[in-house]
């Protein structure tokens, strides 16, 4: 198309004088997409702890892993994810090392 | 903090259930046996024995019945000698079994007939071998327990972790392949822009990685424009769940070029090209397209873009000027589109762009995979071509008059909205100030009000007292 323009120096479109360095645009907290997987992880973790349901605790761990994988901003997101992880691990510990669930065999 | 709260709650609930258990049993005993205080302790010990066996019998009735029938003949001679000492014990244990099973385990009539008629004597001694048999049967049950949940979830987690690293690397390779083709020495962007990359100086990194799926490339230093920002949004290959989701709901790797035009370089142009459905959506949703432009019908008598694409513009004239022969021949024409235009998603030029920068050109293309980067060459070449075209383009007087009026109106409306917003803000501030003053006054005068009220009460008391005296007198 217009590749010819770029080869000859007379028609060089470049203007080093007008070059501006890159400035990262700040993104406000509200614009960020909602961390659904972290939220689901917390829900499953709480359900696993309260109802002593093993599958729920395992699913909480899986969704925590997904949330960790998708984490963009280390400082802000790590707090929620670590909270979800705590719930999930607590659920697993109470499920496996706690007293047997009444009514069913663990 | 959360740990301790939950643990406390659990411990409490466990304690309560245990206490309620023991209390229920104790009550049932006392109902039946009023005067047997000596045996309360022994009854409680028996309770523990009887507590241990039923949970096992509930789920594993078969092995226990076998074991019980086996143990039946053996303890017979032993308890026979102990019957006089244990006769007192047998009644409570038998009845405890009865009470236990009737109240708690209604669905287990099977276990009752063998222990009851088989002489209450056996109930004392089987309680000792029972724990042993229960231990054995528990071992048996442990080996029969299935670990499906653990195996499935554990393997999913392992596959997830492996996929994270492979997916991450795949995305990085794709981004680097693009950069190698279009941003390194001798490539199209290097010939068009003097500053490439996101850092400062000579050796600045070309790509900026924002998360596992977003890569940014920046270039600056060209006529007509302040800079160009290319954002690659790739599929979430690193996330196994998203990958599975994308098997069902298809997704594409996209690259978006945003060119920030200089104010003097761009005339009043609002123009967009996209696939038919997408174009309709864009025209309805994007603010400046909705306000200023409309879908342009295919003009007859000249070559135009492929049927699959539609053009949005303020006027046909502008659209015709921007869809040049060269573009049609290279990308958008009938022949070229088949080969080179498949990765085109949309392009949008606007001098009233909603957002920070007003005058922008936005191009969106789909990324081919790492080995076929060359497919995109013609599409990427559109970018500098249109920068020059728009940079040099001047509207004709007719077109300008139309666009001018529309923009003036829009500017006036925007100004009015600003005014309204400012007035509302001022009014709100005034109202807040009034509230503050009133509250302050109320606080200050509260003491005076209290004094007044106290004085009034005192007066009323004085008034009231003579009345009371009078009535008493009467």
């Amino acid at each position: 198309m217009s590749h010819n323009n770029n080869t000859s120096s007379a028609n060089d479109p470049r203007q080093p004088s007008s070059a501006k360095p890159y400035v990262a645009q700040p993104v406000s907290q509200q614009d960020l997409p909602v961390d659904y997987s972290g939220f689901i992880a917390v829900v499953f973790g709480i359900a696993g702890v309260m109802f002593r349901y093993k599958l729920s605790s395992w699913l909480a761990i899986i969704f925590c892993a997904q949330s960790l994988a998708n984490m963009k901003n280390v400082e802000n997101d790590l707090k929620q994810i670590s909270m979800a992880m705590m719930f999930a691990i607590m659920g697993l510990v109470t499920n496996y090392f706690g007293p047997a669930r009444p009514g069913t065999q663990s | 903090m959360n740990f301790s709260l939950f643990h406390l709650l659990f411990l409490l609930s466990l304690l309560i259930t245990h206490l309620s258990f023991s209390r229920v049993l104790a009550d049932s005993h006392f109902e039946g046996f009023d005067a047997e205080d000596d045996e309360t302790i022994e009854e409680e010990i028996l309770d523990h024995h009887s507590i241990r066996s039923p949970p096992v019998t509930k789920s594993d009735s078969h092995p226990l019945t076998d074991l019980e029938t086996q143990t039946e003949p053996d303890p017979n001679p032993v308890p026979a000698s102990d019957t006089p000492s244990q006769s007192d014990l047998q009644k409570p244990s038998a009845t405890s079994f009865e009470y236990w099973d009737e109240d708690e385990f209604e669905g287990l009539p099977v276990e009752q007939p063998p222990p009851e008629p088989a002489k209450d004597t056996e109930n004392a001694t089987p309680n000792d071998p029972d724990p042993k048999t229960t231990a054995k049967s528990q071992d048996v049950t442990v080996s029969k327990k299935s670990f499906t949940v653990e195996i499935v979830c554990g393997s999913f987690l392992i596959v997830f972790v492996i996929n994270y690293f492979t997916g991450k690397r795949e995305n990085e390779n794709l981004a680097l392949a693009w950069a190698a083709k279009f941003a390194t020495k001798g490539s199209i962007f290097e010939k068009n822009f003097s500053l490439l990359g996101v850092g400062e100086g000579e050796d600045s990194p070309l790509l900026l990685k924002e998360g596992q799926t977003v890569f940014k490339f920046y270039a600056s230093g060209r006529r007509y424009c302040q800079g160009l920002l290319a954002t690659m949004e790739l599929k979430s290959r690193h996330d196994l769940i998203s990958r599975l989701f994308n098997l069902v709901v298809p997704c594409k790797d996209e690259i978006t070029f945003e060119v920030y035009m200089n104010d003097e370089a761009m005339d009043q142009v609002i123009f967009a090209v996209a696939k038919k459905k997408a174009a309709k959506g864009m025209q309805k949703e994007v603010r400046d397209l909705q306000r200023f432009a409309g879908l342009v019908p295919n003009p007859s008598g000249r070559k135009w873009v492929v049927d699959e694409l539609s053009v949005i513009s303020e006027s046909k004239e502008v659209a015709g000027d921007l869809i040049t022969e060269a573009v049609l021949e290279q990308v958008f024409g009938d022949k070229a589109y088949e080969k080179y235009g498949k990765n085109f998603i949309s392009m949008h030029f606007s001098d009233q762009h909603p957002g920070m920068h007003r005058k922008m050109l936005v191009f969106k293309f789909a990324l081919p995979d790492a080995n076929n980067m060359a497919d995109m060459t013609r599409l990427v070449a559109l970018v500098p071509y249109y920068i020059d075209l728009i940079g040099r383009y001047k509207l004709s007087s007719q077109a300008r008059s139309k666009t001018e009026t529309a923009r003036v109106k829009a500017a006036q409306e925007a100004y009015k909205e600003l005014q309204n917003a400012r007035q509302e803000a001022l009014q709100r501030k005034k109202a807040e100030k009034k509230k503050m003053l009133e509250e302050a006054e109320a606080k200050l005068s509260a003491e005076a009000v209290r004094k007044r009220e106290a004085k009034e009460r005192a007066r009323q008391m004085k008034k009231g007292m003579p009345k009371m005296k009078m009535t008493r007198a009467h």
Side-chain angles (χ1 to χ4, degrees), chain A residues 1 3, chain B residues 178 181-183 187-189 192-193 217 228 255 257 331 340 363 365-368 373-387:
Chain A
M1 253 189 275
H3 295 298
Chain B
W178 182 89
K181 181 80 181 132
F182 297 112
S187 60
I188 182 165
F189 283 125
N192 273 284
F193 292 89
F217 166 72
L228 165 138
I255 185 166
F257 292 94
V331 184
Y340 302 107
F363 299 84
F365 307 130
L367 274 176
M373 272 300 160
D375 293 350
M376 253 184 83
T377 333
R378 290 206 184 187
L379 288 171
V380 175
L382 276 177
V383 178
Y385 176 78
Y386 269 114
I387 298 178

Side-chain angles (χ1 to χ4, degrees), chain A residues 28-102:
Chain A
S28 72
Q29 268 293 327
Q30 291 146 345
D31 287 349
L32 287 170
V34 176
D35 186 14
Y36 287 112
S37 48
F39 176 68
I40 292 178
V42 170
V43 168
F44 273 119
I46 292 177
V49 163
M50 292 190 71
F51 303 124
R52 309 291 297 291
Y53 198 35
K54 252 197 297 180
L55 182 62
S56 186
S57 288
W58 278 107
L59 283 173
I61 294 241
I62 287 174
F63 280 108
C64 271
Q66 186 191 18
S67 183
L68 264 175
N70 289 336
M71 184 172 63
K72 276 194 188 176
N73 196 2
V74 180
E75 306 95 43
N76 293 343
D77 296 346
L78 201 58
K79 291 175 209 167
Q80 165 151 5
I81 295 172
S82 56
M83 185 177 81
M85 286 233 74
M86 269 194 335
F87 273 120
I89 290 174
M90 198 166 69
L92 275 179
V93 164
T94 47
N95 266 323
Y96 284 106
F97 298 123
R101 185 168 168 222

